[in-house]
């Protein structure tokens, strides 16, 4: 029910905007997060936004480069990624939290979309 899109291949320093669509209108009252998984690595937290967009939380290494936002009227959450680095290469997933607040804990997310691949070349 969550559909992530917007991935692609960019050069280092470039930008991409990922989108997460909620086709069943299930996350309007929930926090939403972005996670990523690089080859051979665990899935890791990237960013989270509260139900109304009033709070955001970021992984330290993406602070100042990534921005998460949401439009509840359109049932969409976005991840604007700027100044991309090769280490940002991964499959990116959006997920709905069990709560309305922000969270970096995977265990608090109970609905995951399929991933979208981001490849950053140096």
């Amino acid at each position: 029910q969550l559909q992530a899109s917007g991935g692609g291949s960019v050069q280092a320093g470039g930008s991409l905007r990922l989108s997460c669509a909620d086709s069943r209108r299930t996350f309007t009252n929930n926090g939403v997060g972005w996670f990523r998984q690089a080859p051979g690595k665990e899935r890791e937290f990237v960013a989270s936004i509260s139900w109304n967009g009033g709070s955001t939380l970021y992984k330290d290494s993406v602070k100042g480069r990534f921005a998460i936002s949401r439009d509840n009227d359109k049932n969409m959450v976005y991840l604007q990624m700027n100044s991309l680095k090769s280490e940002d290469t991964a499959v990116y997933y959006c997920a709905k939290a069990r709560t309305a607040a922000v969270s970096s804990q995977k265990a608090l997310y109970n609905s995951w979309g399929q991933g979208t691949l981001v490849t950053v070349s140096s």
Side-chain angles (χ1 to χ4, degrees):
Q1 63 206 68
L2 300 186
Q3 180 86 18
S5 62
S9 296
V10 296
Q11 291 192 328
S15 297
L16 282 173
R17 188 175 84 151
L18 305 184
S19 298
C20 178
D22 172 22
S23 61
R24 299 186 183 179
R25 303 174 63 88
T26 63
F27 67 33
T28 302
N29 297 317
N30 294 76
V32 176
W34 285 97
F35 291 76
R36 67 188 182 188
Q37 188 166 17
K41 294 189 177 181
E42 295 287 322
R43 190 172 299 188
E44 65 176 6
F45 169 75
V46 176
S48 175
I49 189 166
S50 61
W51 73 279
N52 64 352
S55 296
T56 57
L57 182 67
Y58 296 95
K59 176 181 174 63
D60 284 347
S61 63
V62 308
K63 284 179 182 177
R65 299 189 299 121
F66 291 11
I68 189 171
S69 61
R70 67 188 299 162
D71 183 338
N72 283 344
D73 289 337
K74 296 181 179 178
N75 302 301
M76 298 289 293
V77 171
Y78 306 98
L79 185 68
Q80 178 67 42
M81 305 187 298
N82 300 324
S83 301
L84 283 161
K85 304 176 180 180
S86 57
E87 52 262 44
D88 295 318
T89 294
V91 177
Y92 283 71
Y93 300 87
C94 61
K96 183 185 74 173
R98 301 175 192 272
T99 68
V102 295
S103 175
S104 63
Q105 303 302 311
K106 278 188 295 185
L108 291 181
Y109 290 82
N110 61 355
S111 181
W112 294 79
Q114 95 297 344
T116 186
L117 177 63
V118 172
T119 303
V120 184
S121 58
S122 55

